[in-house]
Amino acid sequence: MAEAHQAVAFQFTITPEGIDLQLSYQALNQIYLSGVRSWKKRVSRVRNSLIKGVYPASPSSWLFVAIGILATMYMQSDPSMGLITKIQQHLPLSLHMSLSAQGQTMVSALVFSTLLWLSLILALRFCLKLLLSYHQWMFEKHGRMSNTTKVWVPLVRLLSSRKPLLYSYQSSLPHLPVPAIQDTVSRYLESVRPLLTDPEFKRMSDLANEFESNLGNRLQRYLKLKALWATNYVSDWWEEYVYLRSRGPIMVNSNYYGMDFLYVTPTSVQAARAGNTITALLLYRRKVNREELKPSRVPGTVIPLCAAQCERMFNTTRTPGVETDVLQHWLDSEFVAVYHRGRYFRLWVYRAGRLLSPREIEDQIQRILDDASPPLPGEEKLGALTAGDRIPWAQMRKQYFSSGVNKRSLDTIERAAFFVTLDDEEQGMRGDDPEGNLDSYAKSLLHGKCYDRWFDKSFSVVIYKNGKSGLNAEHSWADAPTVAHLWEYTLATDAFQLGYTEDGHCKGDVEPSLPQPQRLVWNIPAEVQAQVSSSLAVAQALADDVDCHVFPFREFGKGRIKKCRVSPDAFIQISLQLAYYRDRGGFCLTYEASMTRLFREGRTETVRSCSNESCAFIKALESGETEEECRRLFQLASERHQNLYRMAMTGAGIDRHLFCLYVVSKYLGVESPFLKEVLSEPWRLSTSQTPVQQMNLFDLKNHPDFISLGGGFGPVADDGYGVSYIIVGEDMVNFHVSSKYSCSQTDSHRFGVQISKAMQDIMALLSADPKTSLSSKGTDHPQSKKLQ
C-alpha cells in the first residue's frame, strides 16, 4: 500500500554480512521538523495557560509586586506585618544551612510576594466575575443609564483593559442561575395564554399550580444542588439528551448549513476554491490553538461571551452508540478527509511541520479530481450510514469497523481536521432563474445525495464544480453563532486575504515532491452494503420530504427599520407571527433561539416570541383597527419581545429550566403530567437569527456584492416551518424557510410570500406615523445596545 511505504522512515535488508541499514534522511528530517512543531505547540500552550491563568493581571505584574515588597523592606519597613518572618522560620532546613540570614529574608520576601500576587489575582478575578454578573444594563431604557450602570461600565472596562486571549475570561464568567420555580411556571402560563381557550388554560393552570406546590419543589432542590456543583446546570444534559441520545437521523433533523456569498464566486476553479477554503479554515484553527482570536463580545459592548464551544471545532466527530452517541475530540491532525465521486482520500495539509500553501493544496485537490479510479465495492454510498438511524450505524461500526483496514480508514475520517466534499454539481445563483436556484443550493447543503457528506463530523465543507462553497455542521458540539464566526472568517480570508491570480488559481508556489493524496481502502461485506442501502432509503425519504425556500428580501433592511426606532429582530419576529397567522389562520408556539453565553458554558435559551401583545397587535391589524391603535399595540409587542429576549439571555428563560426539571424527574422515576405536557408541545414555528459578528472583515462599501447568504435548518415539526434569517448591511434580510412536502398545510414558497408581505405591511403602518417613530425608549435590540 502506498501509504505504508510513505510512512517508513528507514529500510533494512538481511545480508550474509549482517544487517544492511538504509536510512532515509529526508524522512528523518520530516520527523524532526514535525517534532519541533509539536514542541512549539506545547510551549505555546504552557505560555497561554499562564497568561490566561492570571488574567486580568499579567505574569509580569509579579515582578512589580516583588520589587515593591523588597523596596519597602529596604526602607526598614515590614509590609507583611510579620508574615515574612514567619515564612522564614518555616523554610526548609537545607535553605537555613546554605543561605545567609539576608538570603533567607530575600527568599521569604519572594514567597510572600508570590502569595500576595496570587491573592490579588483571585481578588481581581472575583471582582470581574461580580461585574459580569450584573445584567440590569440590558433592561434599561435607551438613553436612560442608571447611576449604577454608569459606575459599572468604567469598572468593567478597567478590568478588561489588558488584551485577553480567547479563553482569558472563562474563569471569570458567572454560572447560569437557576430561576425560582414559581417565576418559571408563571412565565410559562403567560406564554401559552394566547394559544389556549379558557377551559384549556384553566386545566393547564391547575396542572402548573399542582406541580409548583408539590413535585416541583422537590425537583428544584436537586437542580440547585447540581448548579452548586456543576459549571453549568443545563449544558451537559442539553448536549446529551437533546442531541446525543436522539436515535433518529441527524441529517435534516439536527445538522444545519451555511452558504457562500450571494452574488459573488471568487473563482470558478473548483480546486482553487478548495485550496483557499481549506487554508483559511486551518489558519482559523491555528488562531484557536494559539488563542489569538479575540473573545466574542455582546456587540457594541465590552461584555465577553463564553468561548468554550471553540474547543471542539476541529478534529471532532460524533460517534454512534446503541443508546447514546459520543463526541470524540482528538489532538490536531495534519490531514483532512476528502470525498469525490464515491472515493475517500486522506489529504496531508502539512509537510515537515509546514502548512502547505493554498497553491499546493489546490494542486493536491486537482490530483483527486483527475483521479479516474472507480470506487471500491460498497465505498460510494458508505456515508449514508451517518445519514440514517443511529442504532444500525452503531451496530455496523462495532461489528465491521472496529479492526483491520476498515478501522484504519474510518479513523482517518474521524480524526481528520474536518471533512471536504468535492461536489460534481453546480450551485448558487445561475441560469434563467438565479434566485430559484437558491432552493436547490439549500437542499444540497442540508442533505446532498444523503451519502456524499459525513454528517458525523463537526462540520463538512462542500466545494461545488463551479467554485461555489458551503458547509454542513453537526449540532451537538456547538451552536450556529460559533460556526458562523468560523465561516465569516473563512469567506473573508479566502476572498480578501489569500485571493486568486487573474486566471482564478491560488497564489503561492508548489513543491514538486509532495506525495499523492492517499486513497482510503475499505473491505465492505454484503451485510454492511445491505445496511447502507437501508440507511440511504431512510435518509432519502427524509431528504425528499424537505421543502426549502431561500430568498433575499431587498425592499428594506435594518437601516429603515431603525429609523422607525424599532428593534430589527423584534420587527422581523412580529412579521413572522403575522405571516403565520395569515398562512394558517391562527397562532402557534414559536421558538426563537437566544444565546446564554453571558454565562460559563452557556448555549441557548428559547424566546417564546408568540406573546399576548404580539397576538393583540395582529388581531387588531387584521380586523381593521385604526392605524394609531395598531401602532400603539405594535409598540407594546415590540417592547415585550425585547424584554423576553433579554430575560432569556440573562438566565431567566422558561424552557431550559423546565427541561432540566424533567430530566431530574426521570432520574427520580416520578411522573409529572405538567412537565410531560410541556415537553411534548410542538414548535410549529422555529426561528433563528444568524448573527453577523465580524463586519470589519467585509468591506461592503467598496465590495457591496460580497454579501453572505447566511444559513438554515430543517423544520422542527412535521406540520410547521423552520425560518432562519440574517440581517446583512442596511438594506437586506436573507430568509431561509423550510417545511415538509408531506404536510398539506405548509408550503415554504407560500410562507415566504407571506413573510415579504407582512414585512411590507408593517413597514407601511410604521411609515404612516406622522411622528416617524413609535417610541423613543427601549427600542434597541439587546445585542446592539451601545456600552462603549
Side-chain angles (χ1 to χ4, degrees):
M1 293 169 55
E3 60 269 25
H5 289 296
Q6 292 166 4
V8 174
F10 59 89
Q11 304 172 7
F12 64 91
T13 58
I14 304 297
T15 67
E17 291 78 17
I19 297 178
D20 178 18
L21 190 64
Q22 300 174 353
L23 291 175
S24 171
Y25 291 102
Q26 182 181 8
L28 290 175
N29 185 55
Q30 290 188 22
I31 292 173
Y32 166 74
L33 293 175
S34 181
V36 170
R37 175 174 175 267
S38 178
W39 276 103
K40 285 182 177 179
K41 288 169 60 177
R42 293 179 187 179
V43 171
S44 177
R45 288 194 184 104
V46 172
R47 179 182 63 86
N48 288 343
S49 296
L50 177 61
I51 293 174
K52 68 187 179 187
V54 302
Y55 193 87
S58 67
S60 61
S61 61
W62 174 86
L63 186 61
F64 292 101
V65 174
I67 292 175
I69 295 296
L70 293 174
T72 306
M73 293 184 66
Y74 180 76
M75 298 173 64
Q76 305 300 317
S77 177
D78 183 6
S80 70
M81 294 181 291
L83 287 177
I84 292 178
T85 303
K86 289 187 177 181
I87 292 172
Q88 185 173 349
Q89 293 171 356
H90 290 83
L91 288 177
L93 182 61
S94 58
L95 290 179
H96 282 286
M97 298 290 292
S98 59
L99 294 178
S100 64
Q102 186 176 3
Q104 294 174 30
T105 303
M106 179 75 70
V107 170
S108 301
L110 291 176
V111 172
F112 173 76
S113 299
T114 302
L115 294 175
L116 177 62
W117 177 65
L118 292 174
S119 300
L120 291 173
I121 289 172
L122 292 175
L124 287 173
R125 187 178 294 172
F126 179 73
C127 290
L128 182 57
K129 193 168 190 174
L130 286 179
L131 291 171
L132 295 179
S133 301
Y134 175 75
H135 299 129
Q136 193 57 41
W137 62 270
M138 200 176 294
F139 295 87
E140 293 176 355
K141 303 300 183 181
H142 181 52
R144 300 183 184 179
M145 189 181 296
S146 67
N147 291 330
T148 303
T149 302
K150 289 178 181 178
V151 174
W152 170 79
V153 170
L155 289 176
V156 173
R157 291 179 59 190
L158 178 64
L159 289 182
S160 304
S161 57
R162 281 195 59 243
K163 183 180 179 181
L165 297 176
L166 176 61
Y167 302 119
S168 290
Y169 286 108
Q170 291 302 102
S171 59
S172 299
L173 290 173
H175 289 200
L176 183 68
V178 180
I181 196 165
Q182 58 267 28
D183 292 342
T184 297
V185 169
S186 174
R187 291 167 189 151
Y188 168 79
L189 291 174
E190 186 177 5
S191 73
V192 298
R193 184 62 190 95
L195 307 175
L196 303 176
T197 62
D198 290 342
E200 291 172 337
F201 183 72
K202 185 180 184 305
R203 183 185 68 85
M204 182 56 74
S205 297
D206 292 340
L207 285 176
N209 293 331
E210 194 277 334
F211 169 77
E212 179 186 337
S213 58
N214 294 294
L215 178 61
N217 289 320
R218 180 186 174 194
L219 303 180
Q220 180 81 343
R221 286 193 292 271
Y222 282 97
L223 206 56
K224 286 186 175 180
L225 181 63
K226 186 193 176 188
L228 289 174
W229 177 253
T231 305
N232 188 296
Y233 82 92
V234 175
S235 294
D236 57 337
W237 284 352
W238 185 255
E239 179 179 298
E240 179 178 359
Y241 294 108
V242 172
Y243 295 116
L244 297 180
R245 288 215 178 189
S246 172
R247 301 295 80 201
I250 62 175
M251 183 199 78
V252 175
N253 293 329
S254 178
N255 286 30
Y256 53 95
Y257 65 87
M259 284 185 167
D260 198 357
F261 296 117
L262 174 59
Y263 300 115
V264 176
T265 305
T267 179
S268 60
V269 181
Q270 185 178 18
R273 190 72 195 280
N276 267 9
T277 300
I278 292 172
T279 300
L281 289 166
L282 293 171
L283 291 175
Y284 190 92
R285 183 178 73 169
R286 178 186 294 173
K287 283 181 172 289
V288 170
N289 290 341
R290 295 178 179 177
E291 302 186 33
E292 294 174 348
L293 285 178
K294 296 179 180 179
S296 295
R297 302 179 187 272
V298 176
T301 78
V302 295
I303 313 303
L305 302 176
C306 179
Q309 295 180 34
C310 295
E311 295 173 353
R312 298 182 293 182
M313 186 175 293
F314 297 91
N315 324 296
T316 299
T317 297
R318 174 174 175 165
T319 57
V322 174
E323 293 185 358
T324 182
D325 292 353
V326 177
L327 273 176
Q328 290 190 291
H329 176 73
W330 290 273
L331 296 176
D332 283 0
S333 54
E334 298 191 343
F335 58 87
V336 298
V338 181
Y339 178 92
H340 177 242
R341 291 185 178 176
R343 295 89 41 83
Y344 291 89
F345 296 81
R346 172 161 54 185
L347 172 60
W348 293 96
V349 291
Y350 282 85
R351 175 75 164 172
R354 172 185 67 86
L355 176 61
L356 299 185
S357 70
R359 185 68 183 84
E360 288 173 327
I361 297 178
E362 176 191 347
D363 189 63
Q364 295 290 76
I365 292 291
Q366 192 60 53
R367 291 181 180 183
I368 294 175
L369 294 172
D370 293 340
D371 188 330
S373 60
L376 295 171
E379 179 183 18
E380 179 182 11
K381 300 179 180 180
L382 187 64
L385 290 172
T386 69
D389 291 322
R390 304 304 291 175
I391 294 178
W393 172 210
Q395 294 169 338
M396 291 294 105
R397 189 178 190 276
K398 181 179 180 180
Q399 187 172 355
Y400 297 101
F401 295 88
S402 58
S403 63
V405 64
N406 286 347
K407 183 180 188 304
R408 289 194 293 272
S409 294
L410 182 61
D411 280 350
T412 297
I413 295 175
E414 293 185 339
R415 294 172 184 264
F418 48 87
F419 192 81
V420 179
T421 294
L422 302 174
D423 205 302
D424 278 342
E425 296 180 349
E426 294 186 355
Q427 293 294 347
M429 298 178 68
R430 67 197 192 286
D432 298 330
D433 183 19
E435 290 193 6
N437 292 319
L438 296 179
D439 301 347
S440 170
Y441 184 19
K443 282 181 66 68
S444 177
L445 289 174
L446 185 61
H447 53 67
K449 297 176 182 176
C450 301
Y451 58 79
D452 55 350
R453 321 277 188 257
W454 200 266
F455 294 101
D456 286 354
K457 286 297 289 181
S458 54
F459 64 91
S460 299
V461 178
V462 184
I463 309 295
Y464 292 99
K465 187 177 181 180
N466 60 340
K468 214 67 182 172
S469 70
L471 62 75
N472 180 287
E474 200 275 316
H475 209 326
S476 63
W477 65 275
D479 302 306
T482 301
V483 177
H485 194 279
L486 162 72
W487 195 235
E488 285 175 359
Y489 176 90
T490 302
L491 292 178
T493 303
D494 168 24
F496 302 120
Q497 302 298 323
L498 300 176
Y500 299 89
T501 61
E502 291 183 358
D503 55 355
H505 290 279
C506 295
K507 299 176 181 178
D509 300 321
V510 178
E511 183 182 326
S513 62
L514 290 176
Q516 288 277 349
Q518 300 166 3
R519 273 289 305 272
L520 301 188
V521 180
W522 307 90
N523 180 17
I524 310 298
E527 295 85 353
V528 177
Q529 295 186 39
Q531 183 55 57
V532 168
S533 298
S534 177
S535 295
L536 180 58
V538 171
Q540 195 65 60
L542 181 60
D544 291 342
D545 196 24
V546 178
D547 177 18
C548 288
H549 180 45
V550 179
F551 66 96
F553 180 82
R554 297 190 182 88
E555 279 69 16
F556 55 86
K558 70 176 182 180
R560 192 172 170 190
I561 295 174
K562 284 186 173 180
K563 288 182 179 178
C564 298
R565 307 188 106 178
V566 178
S567 158
D569 186 69
F571 183 96
I572 294 172
Q573 283 293 326
I574 296 172
S575 297
L576 292 175
Q577 293 291 315
L578 176 58
Y580 187 90
Y581 184 84
R582 290 171 171 175
D583 185 78
R584 299 290 295 274
F587 301 106
C588 71
L589 198 61
T590 304
Y591 183 111
E592 182 188 4
S594 166
M595 58 123 184
T596 55
R597 289 168 62 200
L598 290 169
F599 305 96
R600 191 170 182 180
E601 294 183 13
R603 293 202 57 165
T604 61
E605 178 58 274
T606 305
V607 180
R608 293 179 167 236
S609 300
C610 183
S611 63
N612 289 308
E613 290 80 2
S614 66
C615 292
F617 161 71
I618 291 168
K619 288 179 179 178
L621 184 67
E622 294 299 278
S623 63
E625 285 284 350
T626 64
E627 289 185 349
E628 183 178 355
E629 176 64 10
C630 288
R631 283 192 290 268
R632 185 187 70 83
L633 292 173
F634 181 86
Q635 174 187 340
L636 295 176
S638 174
E639 291 176 349
R640 177 60 177 165
H641 177 268
Q642 290 173 260
N643 196 52
L644 290 173
Y645 201 105
R646 292 162 178 153
M647 292 173 67
M649 284 182 65
T650 54
I654 300 169
D655 292 275
R656 299 301 178 269
H657 185 201
L658 293 178
F659 161 77
C660 288
L661 291 171
Y662 181 75
V663 174
V664 174
S665 73
K666 287 298 181 182
Y667 277 124
L668 296 180
V670 296
E671 289 290 334
S672 167
F674 170 70
L675 290 177
K676 186 176 181 180
E677 188 158 340
V678 170
L679 271 295
S680 64
E681 293 170 341
W683 300 97
R684 291 192 172 88
L685 183 56
S686 180
T687 72
S688 177
Q689 179 184 170
T690 302
V692 179
Q693 305 168 76
Q694 303 170 92
M695 282 303 295
N696 58 301
L697 298 179
F698 300 90
D699 184 4
L700 293 182
K701 182 176 181 180
N702 295 318
H703 304 281
D705 291 338
F706 286 82
I707 294 176
S708 172
L709 265 168
F713 53 89
V716 174
D718 291 338
D719 58 347
Y721 292 107
V723 181
S724 176
Y725 54 94
I726 178 171
I727 302 172
V728 184
E730 296 293 311
D731 304 308
M732 181 183 293
V733 182
N734 289 326
F735 286 94
H736 300 249
V737 183
S738 65
S739 61
K740 292 192 174 183
Y741 288 115
S742 57
C743 178
S744 60
Q745 297 176 300
T746 58
D747 184 298
S748 294
H749 287 72
R750 185 185 72 211
F751 194 57
V753 172
Q754 293 286 15
I755 292 173
S756 295
K757 188 175 186 303
M759 295 268 288
Q760 294 178 67
D761 288 351
I762 293 179
M763 178 54 69
L765 174 70
L766 302 186
S767 299
D769 186 358
K771 301 177 183 178
T772 69
S773 67
L774 283 176
S775 174
S776 61
K777 54 185 179 179
T779 55
D780 280 329
H781 190 284
Q783 293 194 55
S784 63
K785 190 179 178 70
K786 303 297 181 183
L787 286 176
Q788 298 297 342

